[in-house]
Amino acid sequence: MPFNLASWLSRYGTFVALILLIVFNAIATPNFLSLQTFNVNLTQVATIVIVAVGMTLVIATGGIDLSVGSLMAIAGALAPMILQGTIVPTVNPLLTLPLAFILPLIVVAMLGWFNGFLVTRYSIQPIVATLVLFTAGRGIAQVMTNGNLQVFKNDAFQFVALGYVFGIPTQVLIMIVVVAAAAFLVKRTALGRQILAVGGNEKAARLSGIPAQRVKRLVYLISGVLAGLAGLIVVARNSASDANLVGLGMELDAIAAVAVGGTLLTGGRANILGTLLGACVIQLVRYTLLANGVPDAAALVVKAALIVAAVYIQQSAGPGRT
C-alpha cells in the first residue's frame, strides 16, 4: 500500500505537533520546563478541553455549537448572584453552595436542549440555530448583571478551580473525568454508537430505529452542561465574573481543538483523545506566541489557519480512512 502523507498526518499529526511545540519551547522559551509554567498551561487548557469534549459530540452528529461561549457567560453570571443572595436572598446558607453549582448547570442544560430543539424540530442548520444563543446568550448574561463585574470570594465554591487533590489541580481532575467519561460514552455505550451513526448517515440511522432527534437534542444538552461547567471554573479561578469576557472566543478554541484533534467536521466520528491533544496544541500555540512577543491577536489567525489545515488534511486523507 503506498504511503499516504495526509492519512498519516490525520492519524498522528496532532501528537507530532504537540511534541514539536514542547521541544521548541524547551529550547527557546525560558522557564518553560518549570513546574509553574506546566501548571499554568495545564489549568488554562482544562476549560478548553471540557468545552471541546461537548463540541466533539455535537460535531460527531454532523452539527456545530456556536453558543458555548455565551452559555459559559450565563452560568458564570448566575453562580455569583446565587452566592451573594441576589437571586434567592432567603435561601438556606447550607443550600447556597450546591445551588450555585446546580442551578446554572440546569439553566445551560435547558438552553443547550433548546439549541437541539431548533435543529431537530424546525430543521434549522446547526450553525444558524446556535447563532441565536451565540448572540442573545451573552446579552442575557449582560442584562442579568447590568454589565457589571461581579467580584466575590467563596473558598468552597472556588475549590473547583483553585483547589488541589493529591497535588493535582481540581479543574485538571475534572477535565480528566470529563474526557474519560466521554471516551467511555463513545466507545462503550449504545448512545455513543447512535451518535456516530446519526453523524455518519442520519437517514440510515432513522431507518435502523435510532431516535435521531432525541440523540441530537441530548448532545446539545451535554454540550451546554459542559460549557456551563467551564464557565463556573473560569469565574471561580478569577474570583470574579464579567459577562462581557467569560467564554469570549471559546467557540473558536473548541472547534479548533476538535478539528486539529482529528474529528471529522462532517460528522460520524468522535476522537475524544484527539480533542484533548488538539486543545493542548491550541494552548501551547498561544503560549508560544505570547512567550516570544507575538501579540495575542495573532493567535486568532493561527487558530483559524490550524482549522483550515486540519480540514484540508481530513479531505486529503479520503473518506475511507479509519
Side-chain angles (χ1 to χ4, degrees):
M1 174 180 265
F3 177 72
N4 187 327
L5 178 60
S7 181
W8 187 89
L9 286 174
S10 179
R11 290 174 180 269
Y12 307 111
T14 308
F15 181 72
V16 171
L18 183 60
I19 295 299
L20 291 176
L21 282 167
I22 292 173
V23 171
F24 173 82
N25 281 287
I27 296 172
T29 306
N31 302 317
F32 175 74
L33 297 179
S34 68
L35 182 61
Q36 181 181 4
T37 300
F38 178 76
N39 279 335
V40 167
N41 279 295
L42 200 56
T43 53
Q44 289 293 327
V45 82
T47 49
I48 299 175
V49 172
I50 291 169
V51 176
V53 165
M55 186 72 74
T56 302
L57 298 179
V58 171
I59 288 177
T61 63
I64 198 81
D65 189 353
L66 298 182
S67 69
V68 289
S70 297
L71 296 186
M72 286 178 65
I74 291 174
L78 272 173
M81 294 174 71
I82 295 170
L83 292 172
Q84 295 169 351
T86 305
I87 295 181
V88 190
T90 58
V91 70
N92 188 318
L94 295 177
L95 299 178
T96 300
L97 182 62
L99 194 61
F101 283 105
I102 294 171
L103 183 57
L105 294 182
I106 290 176
V107 170
V108 293
M110 293 171 60
L111 293 173
W113 182 90
F114 174 74
N115 282 332
F117 177 76
L118 291 180
V119 171
T120 56
R121 178 65 177 83
Y122 298 105
S123 300
I124 300 175
Q125 288 293 327
I127 195 170
V128 176
T130 59
L131 189 62
V132 173
L133 281 176
F134 170 82
T135 305
R138 190 166 299 278
I140 293 171
Q142 290 168 337
V143 169
M144 288 166 53
T145 61
N146 292 320
N148 297 325
L149 178 70
Q150 295 185 95
V151 179
F152 68 96
K153 180 172 177 57
N154 185 299
D155 292 337
F157 177 81
Q158 292 180 266
F159 183 81
V160 72
L162 303 178
Y164 287 82
V165 178
F166 301 114
I168 303 174
T170 311
Q171 58 188 305
V172 175
L173 289 177
I174 294 173
M175 176 192 75
I176 293 171
V177 170
V178 168
V179 169
F184 179 82
L185 171 69
V186 171
K187 297 291 185 181
R188 302 293 182 183
T189 69
L191 176 59
R193 291 189 290 273
Q194 290 174 350
I195 289 172
L196 301 184
V198 170
N201 189 323
E202 184 173 346
K203 184 177 180 180
R206 290 177 185 275
L207 292 175
S208 65
I210 293 175
Q213 290 192 346
R214 189 185 309 165
V215 170
K216 283 187 173 184
R217 292 175 186 176
L218 183 57
V219 295
Y220 280 101
L221 184 150
I222 293 172
S223 179
V225 169
L226 293 180
L229 177 59
L232 296 180
I233 291 174
V234 168
V235 299
R237 184 169 62 211
N238 296 336
S239 301
S241 173
D242 186 347
N244 303 297
L245 296 177
V246 172
L248 189 65
M250 181 59 79
E251 54 282 332
L252 177 58
D253 284 343
I255 294 170
V258 174
V260 172
T263 293
L264 292 172
L265 297 183
T266 52
R269 183 178 179 181
N271 189 341
I272 302 297
L273 180 58
T275 294
L276 171 62
L277 295 177
C280 290
V281 168
I282 298 302
Q283 171 58 27
L284 271 183
V285 164
R286 181 174 182 271
Y287 173 84
T288 303
L289 294 173
L290 290 176
N292 289 277
V294 180
D296 193 28
L300 297 175
V301 179
V302 175
K303 290 172 191 175
L306 286 173
I307 295 175
V308 172
V311 172
Y312 175 76
I313 290 172
Q314 290 174 5
Q315 293 298 322
S316 301
R321 69 178 176 80
T322 57

